[in-house]
Amino acid sequence: MTPEQLPIEQYDAQLAEKVSRLQAMMAPFAAPEVEVFRSPVSHYRMRAEFRIWHDGDDLYHIIFDQQTKQRIRVDQFPAASELINQLMPKMINAARDNRALRHKLFQIDYLSTLSNQIVISLLYHRKLEEEWQLAASALRDALRAEGFDVQLIGRATKTKICLDRDYIDERLPVAGKELIYRQVENSFTQPNAAMNIQMLEWALDVTQNARGDLLELYCGNGNFSLALARNFRRVLATEIAKPSVAAAQFNIAANHIDNVQIIRMAAEEFTQAMNGVRSFNRLEGIDLQSYQCETIFVDPPRSGLDAETVKMVQAYPRILYISCNPQTLCDNLATLAETHEVARLALFDQFPYTHHMESGVLLTRKA
């Protein structure tokens, strides 16, 4: 497969293989049948990063083949959003014809939205002077004159130049409501927006009769917290990355949600606070005891939950676990299955045409 051709005719077979692989991995935990959520077969990625190859007077986007490490020229990238594909040739043409934009440019990153906003970052192996800023401003104005809602950023060692701002606002239709999500350049966001909507709607479905409050670890920009707020009395969520916390606070206000509280803490620190091991100034004014959290939501990094957090999570009657690595999910389930059973299981095809699987499980405490 080349980056400019997707094996669309193989999509169904590849998805079926993932379903059977996940079902087999989950068999030891007596999991129910997999609920399967398909991705669009093209233009599903909202972000893409390309190295820039200089070839005499020419330059172009490249990616590296993961197996052979060979470089591959990329003029169009059908895995990425249509907006990214529209802007790729425009960025190359602009950089090719302008020394201030092209000199020592080594990478271009694109972050787009379904709301048709995009932030483009140009990365350089040199200091960025006023000449760059003037050229980049002219390019931004030209793109906006063509109707593109674009933000441009220049990056070099210890330098970040935002011509306007370093974020865009996504709007997602989730179970009958439109949600606004601020997405900050260089911060984590779900790469497949269509899949993200399905993940949020599945999480809403499996918690629709939930009682009490929700505790969420690793909340990012509030992606799940905001969507799930309608199913719970209150939501208490933790996140360690400062830009994500700031985006989450904006999102709470922008969506007029009044029952979500975000704390800037690592999951491990929050576990220590809940267990009374340590006290934290960041928790001043927050009465942890006033929360009646009967459901805990976790969406951990690829490494899964650490042993202490797994133990803490077991204290909750209902555990909603989204995983980008079914292997570490199974490792965690080896312990969680002592006290809980798998009530729902889902496969979200976040990364078509790869072996990667995103999955979700709802665990309920054994009688």
Side-chain angles (χ1 to χ4, degrees):
M1 172 180 105
T2 73
E4 301 198 345
Q5 293 171 299
L6 294 174
I8 290 170
E9 70 288 347
Q10 295 171 27
Y11 180 79
D12 288 333
Q14 291 183 348
L15 182 58
E17 185 277 325
K18 289 182 186 180
V19 173
S20 61
R21 183 154 44 101
L22 182 62
Q23 198 89 58
M25 290 176 84
M26 298 297 289
F29 310 108
E33 198 176 327
V34 183
E35 300 165 55
V36 183
F37 296 90
R38 302 168 60 88
S39 171
V41 293
S42 64
H43 302 305
Y44 47 85
R45 279 194 69 90
M46 292 291 110
R47 57 176 197 247
E49 299 173 0
F50 301 98
R51 299 306 286 263
I52 299 300
W53 192 258
H54 295 253
D55 187 1
D57 289 336
D58 200 10
L59 79 167
Y60 41 83
H61 298 92
I62 62 165
I63 58 172
F64 290 97
D65 185 294
Q66 290 184 323
Q67 267 79 47
T68 65
K69 304 300 177 206
Q70 279 183 301
R71 75 172 182 273
I72 304 165
R73 176 174 176 155
V74 183
D75 295 323
Q76 287 289 278
F77 194 62
S81 70
E82 291 186 13
L83 186 54
I84 291 174
N85 279 279
Q86 287 167 15
L87 280 158
M88 284 169 67
K90 293 180 184 296
M91 293 303 296
I92 288 295
N93 291 338
R96 184 193 294 116
D97 299 338
N98 188 305
R99 189 184 178 281
L101 292 176
R102 80 176 274 167
H103 184 50
K104 296 207 171 173
L105 170 68
F106 74 91
Q107 185 165 318
I108 301 181
D109 298 348
Y110 299 85
L111 171 63
S112 66
T113 59
L114 294 180
S115 61
N116 272 324
Q117 297 183 9
I118 187 164
V119 59
I120 303 175
S121 305
L122 295 94
L123 284 63
Y124 291 88
H125 285 312
R126 69 173 170 97
K127 196 174 170 193
L128 297 179
E129 310 282 2
E130 189 184 357
E131 183 192 17
W132 179 87
Q133 208 156 329
L134 290 170
S137 297
L139 171 58
R140 172 205 59 195
D141 294 346
L143 291 172
R144 287 183 180 172
E146 288 185 49
F148 292 104
D149 189 347
V150 62
Q151 303 295 328
L152 284 189
I153 294 174
R155 283 186 170 274
T157 308
K158 295 183 181 172
T159 305
K160 174 179 171 181
I161 298 176
C162 292
L163 299 185
D164 299 286
R165 55 179 203 251
D166 66 350
Y167 60 82
I168 46 183
D169 291 334
E170 176 64 289
R171 292 171 179 272
L172 298 182
V174 180
K177 282 189 186 175
E178 183 180 76
L179 291 175
I180 300 167
Y181 289 106
R182 177 147 294 178
Q183 301 190 343
V184 182
E185 182 251 8
N186 241 19
S187 294
F188 176 78
T189 52
Q190 295 287 346
N192 186 330
M195 207 69 256
N196 187 30
I197 293 167
Q198 294 187 74
M199 285 165 59
L200 295 174
E201 292 185 337
W202 180 81
L204 272 169
D205 181 52
V206 302
T207 59
Q208 64 183 327
N209 299 313
R211 293 195 305 271
D213 303 322
L214 172 70
L215 172 62
E216 180 184 352
L217 309 182
Y218 317 95
C219 77
N221 69 349
N223 184 52
F224 281 94
S225 338
L226 300 181
L228 290 172
R230 65 184 99 163
N231 279 359
F232 292 89
R233 191 178 64 120
R234 290 192 293 170
V235 178
L236 181 64
T238 72
E239 170 57 46
I240 188 62
K242 253 187 185 169
S244 293
V245 172
Q249 302 288 19
F250 170 85
N251 294 337
I252 289 169
N255 291 286
H256 310 291
I257 292 172
D258 59 7
N259 63 336
V260 176
Q261 170 95 45
I262 309 273
I263 309 167
R264 196 171 83 79
M265 290 187 105
E268 294 78 7
E269 291 175 323
F270 190 78
T271 301
Q272 292 170 342
M274 288 297 281
N275 293 339
V277 176
R278 281 174 69 191
S279 59
F280 294 86
N281 292 338
R282 280 165 280 171
L283 290 173
E284 226 169 82
I286 295 172
D287 180 7
L288 290 183
Q289 306 314 312
S290 75
Y291 281 86
Q292 273 115 39
C293 297
E294 295 192 26
T295 306
I296 186 165
F297 177 86
V298 291
D299 183 4
R302 290 191 66 75
S303 53
L305 300 174
D306 65 277
E308 286 304 305
T309 305
V310 168
K311 268 191 236 159
M312 195 257 291
V313 162
Q314 277 184 298
Y316 295 84
R318 291 156 64 89
I319 305 164
L320 185 54
Y321 190 140
I322 298 282
S323 166
C324 59
N325 183 350
Q327 190 51 63
T328 53
L329 170 63
C330 288
D331 295 343
N332 288 161
L333 284 176
T335 306
L336 295 174
E338 294 165 7
T339 50
H340 290 68
E341 56 198 5
V342 180
R344 300 273 295 266
L345 169 64
L347 168 67
F348 306 104
D349 198 18
Q350 179 95 253
F351 305 101
Y353 317 111
T354 73
H355 71 282
H356 290 295
M357 288 192 286
E358 190 106 358
S359 54
V361 289
L362 175 69
L363 298 156
T364 54
R365 187 180 281 148
K366 290 177 178 174

